[in-house]
Amino acid sequence: MRGFLASSIGVATAAALALPLALSTPALAMPSPSAVAPSAPAGSTQSLPLVPLGPSAERSPGVPGMSASPRLPETRGLAAREVKTFSLVGVVWDDASTELFGRVQVRTRAKRTAVWSDWQDVETHNSEHAADPDSAERGTGRVRGSTAPLWVGESDGVEVRVQAEPGATRSVRRLPQGMRIELVDPGESVPAADGKNGGPADDPADAPADAPADAPADAPAGVPEGDGKGELAAVPGMTMEMAEASSANLPLVELGADEIPELNKADSTADAVFAADGTLAAAAAPYVGPRPRIVTRKGWGADESLREKGFGYTKTVKAAFVHHTASGNNYSCKDAPAVLRSLYRYHVLSSGWRDIGYNFAVDKCGTVYEGRAGGVTRPVLGAHTMGFNTDSMGIAVIGSHTATPPPAAAVTAIARLTAWKLGLFGVDPRAKTTLKSGGANRFPKGAKVKLNVISGHRDGFATECPGKRLYDKLPPTRTSSAKLQGRP
């Protein structure tokens, strides 16, 4: 059955075999020992409180280093110091509903050369990359306010300064409470596996007996579904969390696969059958683009113990929102998995989300990566476009594209990914669609908003994302995507 979707087949064969594709026992597709991964790579997050460096309206005159004037903006930060190795930085604070009106700058010391960088700005407006206001993910009590993360490369020293914007009102001059600098080490990538290097898998007896094996396609938005542990056999070298995430992509690939191979247009119709839970209607639709190669979570080294167990689904995919990570362009393509591991840790451990926010990521060389766990063909509920996460997917280009043009390879990858994924749900990339707002700064909760099927983040939220230079590439991307689907 696994070979059915992964091999070259015709549309007629896909239709004929559609019914058996709804697998209820993922553990039946057992991998060979060479496909099994060892335990997830180690990583770490250092969280350091920011201390007063400048004026504060609530501080008394005479305190060393502080101005007695209440009209000067508050400043917090850290003096230059040596720290444990890290590669990505960001600032977080206690209340996710509080915005940071000010400027965040960091300078870091490269571990290999001991040279300090110049001051770099960190994007402060990041709240729009989040779960919807009334979603289960937003209501966990763990979500914190955060800046965008910044990739700085392997470093062992840091200096930070955060200054509130000057203004006439006290609220504008004050910085959020509980500010901390997060220093993220992505850990090493997973080495080639032989099934001998991993720790023991979780005991299957610990899994709840009534845990469902898979989430229904019409699961309520924002409700995590069962993790399927009751149906997954222990696999040497893989934790149960790793097996759970990997099994979401069965039967496209075997358990423990590093990547999902590309398929031509005809064979990609089989994905449409799987996405439709084995019904024939999707197989009859001709407009499914060729599936791109997708690096799985196991392939980029996701530590599956960090995310919440189970998956959250929405009902369908009607739109694709394009983002940039605003994490800078100072990375090489070989660094992209490490950048993703850092973003993942920052989203989950620092920002308090249930998983990485984006459904897919694309690096500067055009490689596509699986994002939030739950299966690449499924309508996984993300946390990427506040107010419009329901019935949509989020694609993030790794980098910053306000002033820097996105590489052509990345733009092409967006077209290929949307041609395939939107095609699974019968959606024309050139069309308009209507989404219901979950509440945000541009459209009130409950508003029905007409948007381009392929939209930029700024179309649903007042933000600079995905950056002007990437946003300007969306009109031709819609055309390219539709052409790949074979639409007239």
Side-chain angles (χ1 to χ4, degrees):
M1 198 61 62
R2 182 172 62 249
F4 166 66
L5 284 181
S7 63
S8 295
I9 58 173
V11 173
T13 305
L17 297 181
L19 187 58
L21 283 176
L23 297 182
S24 59
T25 53
L28 293 178
M30 294 295 292
S32 63
S34 62
V36 178
S39 297
S44 65
T45 301
Q46 303 169 72
S47 185
L48 307 176
L50 301 185
V51 300
L53 296 180
S56 170
E58 294 183 355
R59 295 188 175 274
S60 303
V63 177
M66 307 302 292
S67 170
S69 171
R71 299 187 60 81
L72 295 178
E74 180 183 9
T75 303
R76 286 180 172 268
L78 284 179
R81 65 180 60 193
E82 183 174 336
V83 293
K84 295 179 181 178
T85 302
F86 68 97
S87 295
L88 179 140
V89 302
V91 171
V92 300
W93 54 92
D94 293 340
D95 187 355
S97 65
T98 300
E99 289 193 60
L100 194 168
F101 293 99
R103 187 178 188 183
V104 178
Q105 293 181 300
V106 298
R107 58 192 295 260
T108 56
R109 186 179 67 186
K111 182 176 181 179
R112 294 182 180 179
T113 64
V115 175
W116 283 89
S117 71
D118 295 331
W119 285 103
Q120 300 182 76
D121 284 297
V122 178
E123 174 59 54
T124 58
H125 300 297
N126 191 53
S127 62
E128 63 270 21
H129 298 82
D132 291 347
D134 294 332
S135 65
E137 181 171 358
R138 187 81 173 184
T140 61
R142 297 191 301 271
V143 179
R144 295 196 282 181
S146 61
T147 67
L150 178 68
W151 177 261
V152 294
E154 196 171 52
S155 305
D156 61 5
V158 66
E159 184 175 5
V160 189
R161 60 189 184 198
V162 182
Q163 186 173 65
E165 289 180 357
T169 64
R170 178 174 173 176
S171 61
V172 174
R173 290 195 306 270
R174 300 290 295 140
L175 293 173
Q177 296 296 309
M179 298 187 72
R180 308 179 71 88
I181 181 76
E182 304 285 291
L183 308 175
V184 181
D185 172 20
E188 298 297 326
S189 60
V190 178
D194 57 9
K196 299 178 181 179
N197 298 321
D202 291 355
D203 186 350
D206 293 337
D210 58 349
D214 201 1
D218 59 352
V223 179
E225 294 301 325
D227 56 19
K229 284 186 177 181
E231 304 253 355
L232 284 174
V235 178
M238 291 183 72
T239 65
M240 291 304 295
E241 291 86 358
M242 294 171 71
E244 176 195 40
S246 184
S247 70
N249 287 319
L250 295 173
L252 303 181
V253 287
E254 65 184 7
L255 201 64
D258 283 346
E259 64 179 62
I260 299 169
E262 63 181 346
L263 287 180
N264 62 33
K265 185 180 185 302
D267 296 344
S268 293
T269 302
D271 287 343
V273 177
F274 182 51
D277 284 341
T279 62
L280 299 182
Y287 301 124
V288 180
R291 185 179 72 196
R293 170 179 171 267
I294 302 171
V295 177
T296 64
R297 291 170 63 90
K298 188 263 180 183
W300 55 261
D303 182 348
E304 300 294 353
S305 69
L306 300 182
R307 63 173 174 85
E308 287 187 14
K309 292 180 174 60
F311 312 125
Y313 294 97
T314 185
K315 291 184 177 181
T316 187
V317 177
K318 298 169 62 177
F321 286 99
V322 177
H323 304 256
H324 67 170
T325 60
S327 52
N329 302 313
N330 188 29
Y331 75 96
S332 64
C333 293
K334 66 180 177 61
D335 293 329
V339 177
L340 272 177
R341 293 196 300 275
S342 298
L343 292 171
Y344 173 45
R345 292 187 69 91
Y346 186 72
H347 284 183
V348 176
L349 298 183
S350 301
S351 302
W353 301 355
R354 73 184 317 269
D355 195 348
I356 191 170
Y358 310 112
N359 297 102
F360 296 93
V362 175
D363 69 20
K364 62 175 61 177
C365 289
T367 302
V368 177
Y369 300 86
E370 178 185 14
R372 182 163 287 209
V376 296
T377 64
R378 305 295 301 279
V380 177
L381 180 67
H384 48 82
T385 307
M386 183 187 286
F388 293 101
N389 291 303
T390 298
D391 294 343
S392 73
M393 68 174 182
I395 303 168
V397 176
I398 302 173
S400 299
H401 297 294
T402 298
T404 304
V411 176
T412 298
I414 295 172
R416 295 192 66 203
L417 176 59
T418 53
W420 169 71
K421 185 63 183 273
L422 292 173
L424 299 184
F425 295 88
V427 179
D428 184 343
R430 301 167 303 186
K432 301 279 188 178
T433 191
T434 299
L435 298 178
K436 185 177 179 180
S437 173
N441 68 354
R442 186 166 183 178
F443 300 102
K445 183 178 180 179
K448 293 183 178 180
V449 184
K450 194 172 185 180
L451 296 163
N452 287 308
V453 164
I454 298 180
S455 283
H457 188 179
R458 63 174 63 183
D459 293 319
F461 198 100
T463 175
E464 287 294 317
C465 185
K468 183 181 185 304
R469 304 303 293 272
L470 177 54
Y471 187 78
D472 289 345
K473 297 293 184 180
L474 297 188
T477 298
R478 298 181 189 111
T479 302
S480 298
S481 181
K483 184 176 181 180
L484 286 166
Q485 285 187 345
R487 293 183 183 271

